[in-house]
Amino acid sequence: MFRSKRILGHILLSLVIVARLCHAQSGTLNASDKIIIDTDIGDDIDDAFAVALALRSPELEILGITTTFGDTKTRARLLDRLLGEVGRADIPVAVGNPTQTNNPLTQRRYAEGGHFAKPSHSKAVDFILEQIRRYPHQITLVAIGPLVNVGALIDKDADTFRKLRRVVLMGGSIARGYGDLGDPKPHGPEPEWNIKNDIPSAQKLFASGVSIFMMPLDATQLKLDEVKREILFRAGTPLTDALTLLYHQWGQQTPTLHDPMAIAYTVDPKLCPVKPMHIRIDEKGFTRAEPGVPNANVCLDSEPDAFFRFYIPSVIGE
């Protein structure tokens, strides 16, 4: 009897192993990470490249994309078209409250083309809170724009906001500023765009108690040079064709892919190793690393070659 039970146990164990292997090969061993992307897409081009990576990452379940800062309605129409062009019109787009800005929306023509435009959109804050209540402690909010919506979320329902699994943030500057790539005389940190455009909301986030994973300028100055652009743009997929058009409307030459690192980290944390730090946001928007209880996990360096070996094949579908 004992021998029979042992044989049966081995058989059951073998079946479990086989089942796990089958699930692993089919990509369904682990449930997809639920994410919401909060973006100011349409100004700089890196937001579009970040959304593209998320769309091509089967590890992620995109619950929705929300727009923040400036002309949030036009940003939503841009997303409507991008998602429609690539066959993902099923992903909800929600609109944040507009704000005043002189920053040009360089990809406005793409957004105003009218393709796949939806007649209306949910409000971003209401949408995010609804999703958190539906999936408490399961959602990663990927914040790749000024933190207007984040501050509004905390103001409206801080208890629900704290039921996020985490916030993965592209923002801040610890030891390096824009264009500071480790030259012999680095000029040091400076207020970073996503932080300085809503300092009070950034301060609320870092005091919220939510787990924060921070990708600052130190680790995100990733240059998409001409050779890499050629590899991407010649792929000729609906997604890379959309990126090509948005890139040309952006009107500059070499994009710096700050925001895609936040998506890449969410998929593969090894691409930007983090360390716990205490971050204080001062009145000018500097992100000061100071002694104290850690309130963020911060990536201070990354390997561009490893990032692009991950990014390019992912987006072109190899």
Side-chain angles (χ1 to χ4, degrees), residues 153-164:
L153 284 164
I154 295 170
D155 287 343
K156 185 166 186 176
D157 192 340
D159 289 340
T160 297
F161 181 79
R162 282 192 288 270
K163 292 179 182 177
L164 282 169

Side-chain angles (χ1 to χ4, degrees), residues 21-238:
L21 288 172
C22 290
H23 281 299
Q25 291 168 357
S26 66
T28 59
L29 178 58
N30 296 312
S32 299
D33 284 337
K34 293 177 171 59
I35 70 166
I36 296 172
I37 303 171
D38 189 52
T39 174
D40 60 341
I41 193 168
D43 296 343
D44 203 347
I45 192 62
D46 58 331
D47 293 79
F49 282 89
V51 171
L53 178 59
L55 291 171
R56 292 294 304 165
S57 297
E59 301 89 349
L60 304 179
E61 179 185 352
I62 306 173
L63 298 178
I65 305 177
T66 57
T67 62
T68 185
F69 192 67
D71 187 351
T72 52
K73 289 185 178 179
T74 299
R75 298 189 198 282
R77 289 196 292 270
L78 191 159
L79 284 165
D80 286 344
R81 179 174 177 181
L82 176 60
L83 294 172
E85 297 279 8
V86 302
R88 292 305 312 272
D90 59 297
I91 296 175
V93 175
V95 180
N97 290 329
T99 63
Q100 292 295 320
T101 175
N102 295 322
N103 202 49
L105 210 161
T106 62
Q107 298 135 69
R108 180 179 294 276
R109 282 182 297 146
Y110 184 93
E112 294 180 342
H115 304 71
F116 301 99
K118 295 179 180 178
S120 63
H121 300 88
S122 301
K123 293 183 178 180
V125 170
D126 293 341
F127 173 80
I128 295 172
L129 290 174
E130 177 187 351
Q131 295 302 310
I132 298 172
R133 294 179 188 120
R134 182 176 298 175
Y135 303 109
H137 309 292
Q138 298 179 57
I139 296 174
T140 295
L141 179 62
V142 182
I144 56 174
L147 298 168
V148 180
N149 288 334
V150 169
L153 284 164
I154 295 170
D155 287 343
K156 185 166 186 176
D157 192 340
D159 289 340
T160 297
F161 181 79
R162 282 192 288 270
K163 292 179 182 177
L164 282 169
R165 177 187 172 199
R166 59 181 177 172
V167 172
V168 176
L169 165 72
M170 190 280 122
S173 168
I174 306 302
R176 302 177 194 171
Y178 289 103
D180 187 347
L181 301 176
D183 295 331
K185 294 183 179 180
H187 65 261
E190 60 187 293
E192 181 273 330
W193 177 263
N194 291 340
I195 301 295
K196 73 179 182 181
N197 275 289
D198 194 337
I199 294 169
S201 289
Q203 292 170 333
K204 292 172 188 175
L205 171 62
F206 279 81
S208 69
V210 169
S211 294
I212 300 170
F213 293 80
M214 177 179 172
M215 313 289 118
L217 295 179
D218 307 63
T220 62
Q221 301 195 59
L222 303 155
K223 301 293 184 180
L224 187 71
D225 61 31
E226 184 177 5
V227 173
K228 297 181 182 71
R229 294 196 301 274
E230 172 66 17
I231 294 170
L232 271 176
F233 295 162
R234 75 185 180 198
T237 69

